[in-house]
């Protein structure tokens, strides 16, 4: 397995499909239909905010991160309008704002991790988390944080094995019907 900073442009479409496979259930009612959600991710995914795992030329998984300079999925209003039109753009932005997580300058923020179905169970997620921790340390952070939804018990178990601890859980209230999860837990890992 080879870890890279960023992804190759030839893999942009695969990145978008893998992202949608991982997060489409949560985002589908807002970012759907699938073809538009994938098109949006393909348009806005930033390789400079991604760490990737490859087996030869085959992309196995991606860990995205968010900084003051941007995020892995970092589209603006114009990008959203290009895919959904202006009316479709406005209501989507309003709903997605509920999921927004700001950087806090104290902790390095993971902005999604996903592994292809055929590579799951092979240590790709663990390796990506370790690489993300190394990137955080390289940037001067001593802690890394992420959010995990209540339905993703497999991911939460991985995060706990990798030393993350839960620090705060928040509910989605009525938006649980839109995003299909009831709670998200912020988890933090000390890197020093």
């Amino acid at each position: 397995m080879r870890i890279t900073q960023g992804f190759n442009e030839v893999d942009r479409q695969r990145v978008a499909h893998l992202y949608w496979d991982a997060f489409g259930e949560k985002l589908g009612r807002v970012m759907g239909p699938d073809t538009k959600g994938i098109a949006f991710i393909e348009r806005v995914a930033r390789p400079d905010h991604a760490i990737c795992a490859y087996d030869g030329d085959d992309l196995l998984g991606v860990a995205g991160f968010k900084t003051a300079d941007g995020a892995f999925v970092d589209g603006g209003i114009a990008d959203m309008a290009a895919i959904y039109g202006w009316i479709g753009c406005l209501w989507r932005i309003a709903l997605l704002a509920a999921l927004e997580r700001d950087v806090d300058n104290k902790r390095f923020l993971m902005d999604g991790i996903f592994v292809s179905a055929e590579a799951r169970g092979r240590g790709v997620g663990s390796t990506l988390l370790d690489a993300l921790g190394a990137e955080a340390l390289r940037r001067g952070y001593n802690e890394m944080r992420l959010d995990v939804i209540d339905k993703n018990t497999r991911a939460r178990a991985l995060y706990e094995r990798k030393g993350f601890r839960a620090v705060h859980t928040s509910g989605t209230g009525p938006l649980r019907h839109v995003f299909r999860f009831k709670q998200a837990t912020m988890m933090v890992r000390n890197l020093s």
Side-chain angles (χ1 to χ4, degrees), residues 60-77:
L60 303 176
V62 178
F65 57 90
K66 185 174 183 179
T67 67
D69 296 324
F72 171 62
V73 176
D74 199 22
I77 293 173

Side-chain angles (χ1 to χ4, degrees), residues 49 64-68 70-72 100-103 108-111:
H49 281 68
F65 57 90
K66 185 174 183 179
T67 67
F72 171 62
E100 189 62 30
R101 297 166 297 147
D102 288 328
V103 293
F108 192 66
L109 179 57
M110 184 178 84
D111 192 29

